[in-house]
C-alpha cells in the first residue's frame, strides 16, 4: 500500500512516525538549554566575573533574538523548505552551544546566546509546521502530544543532567550537552524527515518583518525589564508601549499587504474560532506553567534546601501527570475506525470538552498547590504537581490541535510561527507578571527588623539571596521569615495561576468549536515520506488560500 493510500485510510506509515522522533529530538535540545542556564548562573557569575546585568543579558539576548526572528523564520520555512531550514537551524544551534561552552568573557557568552536564540527561532516553528503536512487530522493529536511531551520532558531532565554536570565537571559542560543531541537530531532529520514547501510568493514582506521583529523584541524586553526593575519603571513602560505600538502598526500593515499577496502572516486565520481560541488558550497555558516552572525550583532550593538534582527529581510528578493526560487525551481525540481501517465518525470527545476539562483539572491542582507551606512534605507537592501536569497534558495538545487544524499545508510555517510567537510572548509575560506577584507578596511578609540596610536590601531581592543573608548572619529567625514569606508569595502566585486556568476553562467552553475541523484540509494534503514534495489535495473545497497564494 502506498503512503498516499495509507493516509486516506487513516493509517500511518512508519517513515512519518520516525520523522516525528527526529522532530521531537530537535525540540528536546532547545528545552534542555532553557532549563540548564538558570542552574549555571551562580557559577558563571564567579567563573566569568559576570555582573548582575551580565547575568540578565545571558538570558535576555537569547529571548530577544528568539522573539524577533520567529515570524521571519516561519516565512523562510514555507519558501525555502522546512527540512532545509530545520537542518540549518540545528547546525547553528549546535555551533553556538559549543561557543557558549568555550566563552571566555561575559560578552562572548552573550553573543553566543544571541546566535543560539536564532537557531531556536527556526527550530520551534518548523517542528510544529511539519505536523499538518505529515499527518492527517485524525493522526495529528498523537503527533502534537509527542512534540509537546518532548518540550516538557526537558524541564526535569535539564536540572537532573545539568546539576550532575555542574557537580562533576566545569560549567561549560551544561552547554556542551546540546552538541551530541543536536548531532543525533541532525542525522535523524536528514534521513527520516521529508522536505516540504509552502506558498512561494515573488515578493517578501520586508516592512512586516521589520515591524514584527521590533514589536515582539520590544514587548519581550519590556517584560524582562519589568521583572527586574518593576512595572512602574519609565524605561520599562516606554519599551512595552513601544513594542505594542509596533505590533499595532504591523497588524495594520499586514491588512494592506494581504491584498497584494505578500503578507508575512495570514490575518484571515483569526476568522477561525478554532485557530484564534486554540492559540489564545495555548498562550494562557504557557503564561501559567512557565510561572510555575520559574517559581517551584526556587521553593525547592531556597525553602526546602535541596540541590539541583533533588529539585529535578521533584519535578518528575508533573511530567508523569502530563504524560498520562496526553495519552488519555490523544485517545479521546482519535476517531474510531471502521472495518476497512478508515476513520468512522467523530472522535469520542471534541476540543471544547477536552480543553475545558484540562483547564478545570489544572485549576484544581494549582488551587491545592496554593496551600503549600515551608513545612509541606514531598508527597503533598508531588500530588498537586501531578494533578496540574495531568490538566496540562489534557489541555495543551487539544488546544494546539484546534489551532493547527486551521492551517493549510501551504502556509503551515508562517501559521505555526504565529502560534509560537504568541506562546513565547505569553511565557515571557507570565514569568514577568507572576514573578512580580510572587516578589511583592514575599516582600510584604518579610520581617527585616534590625538588619543592616545592605543585608535587608539583599534579602528583599528573593528567597535565594534571603537564605544566603540569613546563613551568613547565623540568624535562624531571619531564615524562618524568608522561607515563610516565600511560601506565602508562592501561594499567592499559584492562586493567580489557578484563576487563569479557571478563566481559560470558561473561555474554552464558550468559544472553542465542539468538533475539531482541519480547516477543510484533506487528510492526504501532506508529504509522502521520502518523496520530497507535497501531495496535492485529493478533493476540492475547504481552505485553498495557500494554493492561490502560491500561484500568484
Amino acid at each position: 500500500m502506498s503512503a498516499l493510500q495509507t493516509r486516506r485510510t487513516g493509517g500511518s506509515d512508519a517513515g512519518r512516525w520516525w520523522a516525528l522522533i527526529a522532530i521531537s529530538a530537535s525540540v528536546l535540545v532547545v528545552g534542555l538549554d532553557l532549563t540548564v542556564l538558570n542552574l549555571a548562573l551562580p557559577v558563571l557569575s564567579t567563573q566569568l566575573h559576570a555582573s548582575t546585568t551580565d547575568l540578565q543579558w545571558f538570558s535576555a539576548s537569547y529571548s530577544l533574538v528568539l522573539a524577533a526572528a520567529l515570524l521571519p523564520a516561519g516565512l523562510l520555512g514555507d519558501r525555502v523548505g522546512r527540512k532545509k531550514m530545520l537542518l540549518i537551524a540545528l547546525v547553528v544551534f549546535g555551533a553556538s552551544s559549543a561557543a557558549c561552552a568555550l566563552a571566555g568573557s561575559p560578552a562572548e557568552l552573550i553573543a553566543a546566546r544571541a546566535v543560539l536564540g536564532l537557531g531556536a527561532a527556526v527550530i520551534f516553528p518548523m517542528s510544529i509546521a511539519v505536523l499538518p503536512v505529515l499527518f492527517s487530522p485524525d493522526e495529528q493529536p498523537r503527533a502534537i502530544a509527542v512534540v509537546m511531551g518532548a518540550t516538557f520532558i526537558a524541564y526535569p531532565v535539564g536540572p537532573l543532567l545539568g546539576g550532575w554536570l555542574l557537580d562533576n565537571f566545569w560549567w561549560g559542560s551544561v552547554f556542551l550537552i546540546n552538541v551530541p543531541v543536536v548531532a543525533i537530531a541532525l542525522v535523524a532529520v536528514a534521513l527520516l524527515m521529508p522536505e516540504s514547501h509552502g506558498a512561494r510568493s515573488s515578493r517578501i514582506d520586508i516592512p512586516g518583518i521589520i515591524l514584527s521583529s521590533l514589536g515582539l523584541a520590544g514587548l519581550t524586553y519590556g517584560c524582562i525589564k519589568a521583572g527586574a526593575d518593576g512595572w512602574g519603571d519609565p524605561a520599562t513602560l516606554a519599551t512595552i508601549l513601544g513594542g505594542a505600538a509596533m505590533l499595532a502598526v504591523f497588524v495594520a500593515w499586514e491588512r494592506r499587504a494581504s491584498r497584494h499577496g505578500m503578507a508575512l502572516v495570514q490575518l484571515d486565520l483569526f476568522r477561525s474560532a478554532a485557530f484564534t481560541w486554540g492559540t489564545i488558550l495555548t498562550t494562557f497555558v504557557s503564561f501559567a506553567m512557565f510561572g510555575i516552572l520559574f517559581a517551584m525550583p526556587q521553593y525547592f532550593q531556597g525553602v526546602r534546601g535541596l540541590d539541583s538534582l533533588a529539585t529535578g527529581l521533584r519535578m518528575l510528578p508533573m511530567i508523569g501527570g502530563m504524560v498520562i493526560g496526553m495519552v488519555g487525551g490523544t485517545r479521546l481525540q482519535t476517531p474510531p475506525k471502521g472495518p476497512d481501517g478508515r476513520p468512522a465518525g467523530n472522535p469520542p470527545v471534541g476540543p471544547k470538552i477536552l480543553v475545558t476539562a484540562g483547564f478545570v483539572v489544572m485549576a484544581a491542582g494549582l488551587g491545592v498547590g496554593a496551600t503549600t507551606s515551608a513545612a509541606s512534605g514531598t508527597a503533598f507537592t508531588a500530588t498537586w504537581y501531578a494533578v496540574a501536569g495531568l490538566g496540562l497534558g489534557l489541555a495543551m495538545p487539544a488546544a494546539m490541535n484546534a489551532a493547527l487544524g486551521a492551517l493549510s499545508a501551504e502556509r503551515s510555517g508562517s501559521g505555526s510561527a504565529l502560534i509560537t510567537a504568541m506562546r513565547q510572548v505569553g511565557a515571557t509575560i507570565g514569568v514577568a507578571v507572576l514573578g512580580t506577584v510572587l516578589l511583592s507578596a514575599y516582600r510584604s511578609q518579610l520581617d527585616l527588623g534590625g538588619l543592616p540596610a545592605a543585608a535587608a536590601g539583599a534579602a528583599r531581592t528573593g528567597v535565594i539571596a534571603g537564605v544566603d543573608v540569613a546563613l551568613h548572619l547565623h540568624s535562624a529567625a531571619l531564615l524562618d521569615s524568608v522561607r515563610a514569606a516565600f511560601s506565602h508569595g508562592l501561594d499567592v502566585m499559584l492562586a493567580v495561576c489557578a484563576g487563569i486556568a479557571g478563566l481559560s476553562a470558561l473561555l474554552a467552553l464558550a468559544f472553542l468549536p465542539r468538533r475539531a475541523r482541519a480547516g477543510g484540509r484533506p487528510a492526504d494534503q501532506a508529504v509522502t515520506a521520502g518523496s520530497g514534495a507535497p501531495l496535492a489535495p485529493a478533493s476540492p473545497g475547504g481552505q485553498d488560500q495557500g494554493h492561490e497564494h502560491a500561484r500568484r
Side-chain angles (χ1 to χ4, degrees):
M1 182 180 289
S2 69
L4 174 57
Q5 291 171 327
T6 302
R7 193 81 34 76
R8 282 177 174 167
T9 61
S12 61
D13 55 276
R16 290 178 297 121
W17 294 103
W18 281 110
L20 182 66
I21 295 176
I23 295 164
S24 300
S26 304
V27 173
L28 177 63
V29 72
V30 179
L32 286 175
D33 179 80
L34 289 173
T35 56
V36 299
L37 177 65
N38 288 337
L39 289 176
L41 287 178
V43 181
L44 292 173
S45 176
T46 302
Q47 297 294 321
L48 293 181
H49 306 290
S51 65
T52 301
T53 301
D54 292 331
L55 296 179
Q56 292 172 341
W57 274 104
F58 292 159
S59 176
S61 60
Y62 175 94
S63 299
L64 291 178
V65 174
L66 173 62
L70 276 171
L71 294 183
L75 175 67
L76 283 173
D78 286 336
R79 289 174 59 89
V80 176
R82 294 156 190 143
K83 175 179 178 177
K84 186 181 300 181
M85 288 300 299
L86 186 54
L87 288 172
I88 293 172
L90 285 169
V91 171
V92 170
F93 199 89
S96 54
S97 295
C100 288
L102 301 175
S105 68
E108 290 179 7
L109 183 55
I110 290 170
R113 292 284 301 171
V115 179
L116 204 68
L118 184 62
V122 179
I123 292 172
F124 273 135
M126 290 305 100
S127 64
I128 298 174
V130 297
L131 300 185
V133 177
L134 282 175
F135 298 98
S136 61
D138 58 299
E139 297 168 329
Q140 204 163 278
R142 280 181 289 166
I144 292 172
V146 171
V147 174
M148 292 293 101
T151 301
F152 284 97
I153 283 174
Y155 290 106
V157 172
L160 288 172
L161 185 57
W164 179 77
L165 289 171
L166 287 172
D167 288 341
N168 294 278
F169 301 96
W170 109 106
W171 62 265
S173 61
V174 300
F175 297 109
L176 281 183
I177 61 173
N178 295 338
V179 176
V181 182
V182 165
I184 294 171
L186 272 170
V187 173
V189 169
L191 295 179
L192 300 173
M193 181 176 162
E195 182 61 281
S196 64
H197 296 86
R200 297 182 179 182
S201 167
S202 59
R203 302 171 65 186
I204 297 178
D205 184 11
I206 299 297
I209 291 174
I210 295 172
L211 289 169
S212 66
S213 297
L214 291 175
L216 288 171
L219 195 59
T220 299
Y221 184 58
C223 291
I224 292 172
K225 278 186 65 63
D229 303 331
W231 293 91
D233 178 65
T236 295
L237 291 175
T239 307
I240 291 175
L241 292 175
M246 283 289 181
L247 291 178
V249 175
F250 167 69
V251 171
W253 168 260
E254 289 301 288
R255 292 185 185 279
R256 176 183 175 185
S258 63
R259 294 195 293 267
H260 301 284
M262 58 174 287
L264 180 62
V265 298
Q266 287 179 288
L267 295 180
D268 286 348
L269 286 170
F270 289 102
R271 295 179 181 175
S272 163
F275 179 85
T276 299
W277 289 102
T279 302
I280 289 173
L281 292 170
T282 57
T283 301
F284 279 5
V285 172
S286 297
F287 188 106
M289 293 309 298
F290 274 85
I292 296 169
L293 293 169
F294 164 77
M296 287 308 295
Q298 296 183 64
Y299 170 78
F300 288 128
Q301 294 181 28
V303 176
R304 300 282 296 277
L306 303 174
D307 59 18
S308 299
L309 184 63
T311 295
L313 288 172
R314 280 159 179 77
M315 294 178 69
L316 290 177
M318 186 187 76
I319 303 302
M322 180 200 69
V323 170
I324 294 172
M326 285 183 171
V327 171
T330 297
R331 291 181 178 178
L332 292 173
Q333 284 190 283
T334 302
K337 289 183 171 59
D340 58 355
R342 297 184 180 184
N346 291 317
V349 178
K352 179 190 287 288
I353 301 301
L354 193 57
V355 175
T356 300
F359 277 117
V360 168
V361 172
M362 192 185 305
L366 295 171
V368 173
T371 63
T372 301
S373 70
S376 295
T378 298
F380 174 78
T381 55
T383 300
W384 76 256
Y385 226 29
V387 173
L390 176 64
L392 168 68
L394 290 171
M396 174 67 93
M400 180 70 75
N401 186 50
L404 287 180
L407 301 181
S408 68
E410 294 288 339
R411 294 301 297 270
S412 65
S414 56
S416 298
L418 182 58
I419 296 172
T420 307
M422 291 186 65
R423 287 181 58 208
Q424 176 65 22
V425 170
T428 305
I429 295 174
V431 171
V433 172
L434 296 175
T436 300
V437 169
L438 187 154
L439 187 60
S440 298
Y442 164 74
R443 289 173 174 173
S444 70
Q445 298 294 307
L446 198 58
D447 183 4
L448 299 174
L451 280 184
R460 285 173 55 83
T461 60
V463 63
I464 303 299
V467 169
D468 288 343
V469 170
L471 294 177
H472 178 73
L473 297 176
H474 305 288
S475 174
L478 177 59
L479 184 62
D480 290 342
S481 176
V482 167
R483 288 174 170 171
F486 186 84
S487 298
H488 169 73
L490 177 66
D491 289 347
V492 173
M493 190 208 75
L494 290 175
V496 172
C497 290
I500 293 171
L503 174 63
S504 300
L506 294 176
L507 293 174
L509 191 62
F511 296 111
L512 270 182
R514 291 186 176 275
R515 292 291 171 187
R517 182 174 180 270
R521 174 173 53 81
D524 49 349
Q525 184 183 350
V527 175
T528 303
S531 69
L535 299 172
S539 60
Q543 186 179 25
D544 56 1
Q545 294 172 346
H547 297 286
E548 294 175 356
H549 189 86
R551 287 195 294 266
R552 288 192 181 104

